[in-house]
Amino acid sequence: MARKKPVKTILSALPDKSSVDTESSKWSRRRFVRNSTLLTFATALGMPIVNGTKLPYGLHPVALESGNVPFSIEGKHSDLVLLNDRPLNAETPAHLLNDDITPNDVLFVRNNGLPPTDVDPETWTLTIEGESIEKPIELSLNDLKTRFTPYTYQLTLECGGNGRSEFDPPAKGNQWSTGAVGCPLFTGVRLKDVLSYAGIKTDAVYIGYYGKDTHISGDVNKTPISRGVPISKAMEEESLIAWSMNGEDLPMQNGYPLRLVFGGWPASTSGKWLSKIVVRNQIHDGAKMESPSYRVPCKPVAPGTKVPDEEMCIIESMPVKSLITYPKTGGILHTKKSLTVRGHAWAGDLEVDKVEVSIDFGATWRACHLKSPANRLAWQHWSVDLSFDKEGYYEVWAKATDSKGSSQPMVLPGWNPKGYLNNACHRIALKVKS
Ligand SMILES: Nc1nc2c(c(=O)[nH]1)N[C@H]1C(S)=C(S)[C@@H](COP(=O)(O)O)O[C@H]1N2
Ligand SMILES: [Mo]
């Protein structure tokens, strides 16, 4: 399990300790931080420092320095697990995803670059252009909110690399366990309404996005990520240009003030800090569209195989999957006590047909109660009452089956070089005592 590390991105912006004046007076006459430094600290913490003018010169607030920062990501729950701080990547422990609708502070964060620091919603614009657009247009946030009909959908966002940490041989990249997924309510306008307004030519095959984040290298000529979807997915009713999550502005780390949302597809297609959409007459060729990014072998391969670029295919709809969100793994129960086990299940563009659980390592399965999705592309809630009759160690496994009959594999599914699409059954551990 990754340990929380200090947020280096924040620290690097802070004054260097070595520049502190160490002249003799240091201990005899207390000196205090400058107001400009205090402001930098306050910005990093996301709040003013009470009694800040009394902070001795040369001292950093401990919250920005120690190994276990209780509020390292502004606006996010302190129990998110930080996988990387530059770029920022943090996942959600399964038990924090127990709500039917994922709250803003628990949705995972996956950044490829550095988010913009100077967002002004008043001057933010979205450009629509590309070979297959009739007339390029530029819209303000206000134009989007007033000229088009807004829609709200609950949409499942899951990183294509969710579950990567289980692959063997291991795959490079963020070692997500199960927490790069969530299903908030998004409000925005339909991408198809905006594209139609600009006029789509008949040769359109793909859309691509550009965001206002910057490349990790600091090179302004490099784009951290610019992916997209086929025009057929772009034109679906639930494909949104969204400005709101659960009725509030998008959280900064989740794309404020504007993002794309394509439920059920790798979340890498859901461009954050959205500033431009291009409609292409070919498959979009932006950053991280090239092989092997967000691609898997077109045909299954043996673990460890080197796969040529041209034999890798772009990931589209995500596979069927489920999560046990209650109880929390590691819990202690009492024998004979019945417990309602809960979770969610989702299946990309498809619906989930059934969810089953096992407490005997997959030998037998019990059917769960499964609800319909709030709308297409939203995850579905399931629950089941289980009783644990003997003292000892138990595991609960959950397995979902989609509307085409595909089920989650009990352990690891097809190995692939970049470690995408691990939809193995989620397992939790329980101890039962009398
Ligand atoms: N502009 C921009 N959009 C982006 C990314 C990014 O780094 N920059 N990351 C993508 C990836 S790989 C994922 S999984 C999702 C994560 O969305 P979230 O951080 O809101 O959970 O955003 C996608 N959109
Ligand atoms: Mo991702």
Side-chain angles (χ1 to χ4, degrees):
M1 178 79 58
R3 217 169 43 82
K4 285 191 179 181
K5 292 176 284 178
V7 180
K8 271 186 249 138
T9 37
I10 293 173
L11 284 180
S12 62
L14 299 177
D16 182 359
K17 263 193 170 176
S18 62
S19 68
V20 170
D21 182 0
T22 53
E23 71 188 35
S24 56
S25 61
K26 188 171 175 190
W27 300 110
S28 54
R29 182 170 54 87
R30 264 177 71 111
R31 299 171 63 212
F32 303 108
V33 286
R34 292 192 199 92
N35 279 340
S36 59
T37 310
L38 211 50
L39 201 63
T40 314
F41 289 153
T43 308
L45 291 166
M47 59 186 71
I49 301 175
V50 181
N51 298 324
T53 55
K54 302 289 190 297
L55 187 68
Y57 187 74
L59 208 61
H60 287 157
V62 70
L64 298 175
E65 228 177 26
S66 76
N68 198 359
V69 181
F71 30 75
S72 49
I73 309 172
E74 203 192 322
K76 288 289 165 183
H77 195 289
S78 58
D79 289 346
L80 291 201
V81 178
L82 201 62
L83 301 181
N84 190 357
D85 54 26
R86 192 182 164 90
L88 191 64
N89 288 282
E91 71 172 315
T92 319
H95 68 277
L96 281 188
L97 290 170
N98 194 42
D99 299 272
D100 289 358
I101 298 172
T102 307
N104 289 7
D105 68 334
V106 306
L107 183 65
F108 74 103
V109 177
R110 195 296 185 236
N111 293 343
N112 288 263
L114 305 173
T117 50
D118 53 352
V119 174
D120 177 2
E122 296 298 317
T123 57
W124 193 272
T125 56
L126 173 66
T127 304
I128 312 288
E129 56 181 43
E131 310 91 310
S132 299
I133 275 295
E134 306 267 3
K135 69 169 174 41
I137 54 168
E138 191 184 88
L139 299 162
S140 67
L141 261 184
N142 193 50
D143 291 337
L144 283 170
K145 290 180 183 177
T146 54
R147 289 199 206 163
F148 303 89
T149 310
Y151 294 89
T152 298
Y153 297 106
Q154 194 188 354
L155 298 168
T156 309
L157 268 187
E158 182 180 20
C159 178
N162 196 21
R164 175 177 292 132
S165 64
E166 282 189 300
F167 281 104
D168 186 26
K172 287 206 191 97
N174 287 298
Q175 295 301 304
W176 305 108
S177 61
T178 57
V181 64
C183 195
L185 276 174
F186 290 98
T187 301
V189 293
R190 285 180 173 155
L191 176 58
K192 69 170 188 165
D193 290 350
V194 176
L195 296 185
S196 305
Y197 178 76
I200 312 163
K201 294 186 189 166
T202 51
D203 64 354
V205 298
Y206 228 87
I207 70 106
Y209 69 75
Y210 291 88
K212 284 277 190 196
D213 45 342
T214 50
H215 197 268
I216 199 81
S217 64
D219 184 342
V220 290
N221 297 313
K222 283 190 179 164
T223 309
I225 186 168
S226 169
R227 303 199 69 248
V229 295
I231 198 77
S232 54
K233 178 70 178 174
M235 299 303 276
E236 285 183 359
E237 295 194 342
E238 301 83 4
S239 295
L240 293 183
I241 302 174
W243 56 78
S244 164
M245 213 164 102
N246 299 322
E248 291 171 23
D249 284 346
L250 291 169
M252 184 61 222
Q253 296 295 345
N254 302 108
Y256 175 76
L258 200 62
R259 78 173 302 167
L260 284 168
V261 189
F262 297 108
W265 280 43
S268 55
T269 58
S270 296
K272 304 194 281 187
W273 310 290
L274 182 69
S275 63
K276 184 160 78 178
I277 295 170
V278 287
V279 180
R280 308 293 314 267
N281 62 8
Q282 59 170 70
I283 293 177
H284 182 52
D285 53 1
K288 306 217 169 171
M289 283 300 297
E290 72 286 353
S291 197
S293 291
Y294 302 101
R295 294 183 186 223
V296 289
C298 304
K299 293 185 189 126
V301 298
T305 307
K306 262 201 145 52
V307 184
D309 280 353
E310 59 281 7
E311 288 170 27
M312 299 283 279
C313 287
I314 300 174
I315 301 167
E316 298 198 328
S317 174
M318 294 289 285
V320 62
K321 199 160 168 179
S322 60
L323 210 50
I324 304 163
T325 59
Y326 185 85
K328 181 180 173 176
T329 192
I332 296 173
L333 308 175
H334 295 288
T335 45
K336 306 280 182 203
K337 210 171 167 198
S338 155
L339 185 77
T340 306
V341 175
R342 291 168 40 91
H344 316 289
W346 59 97
D349 283 338
L350 302 177
E351 259 192 47
V352 176
D353 247 15
K354 69 175 175 192
V355 175
E356 298 156 289
V357 295
S358 174
I359 57 169
D360 54 12
F361 302 102
T364 62
W365 294 87
R366 277 267 305 277
C368 303
H369 174 71
L370 177 68
K371 287 193 192 162
S372 301
N375 50 253
R376 196 176 156 254
L377 310 180
W379 66 17
Q380 294 166 240
H381 318 301
W382 59 264
S383 61
V384 64
D385 293 333
L386 295 179
S387 54
F388 300 85
D389 297 335
K390 291 183 186 140
E391 271 193 62
Y393 174 82
Y394 280 90
E395 287 189 11
V396 182
W397 295 12
K399 179 173 73 171
T401 302
D402 71 24
S403 52
K404 286 194 175 160
S406 299
S407 297
Q408 293 181 253
M410 266 189 264
V411 282
L412 210 64
W415 181 91
N416 63 91
K418 298 278 282 177
Y420 297 120
L421 309 186
N422 176 5
N423 67 335
C425 290
H426 184 210
R427 301 159 52 190
I428 64 162
L430 294 176
K431 276 183 189 164
V432 176
K433 291 183 173 165
S434 55

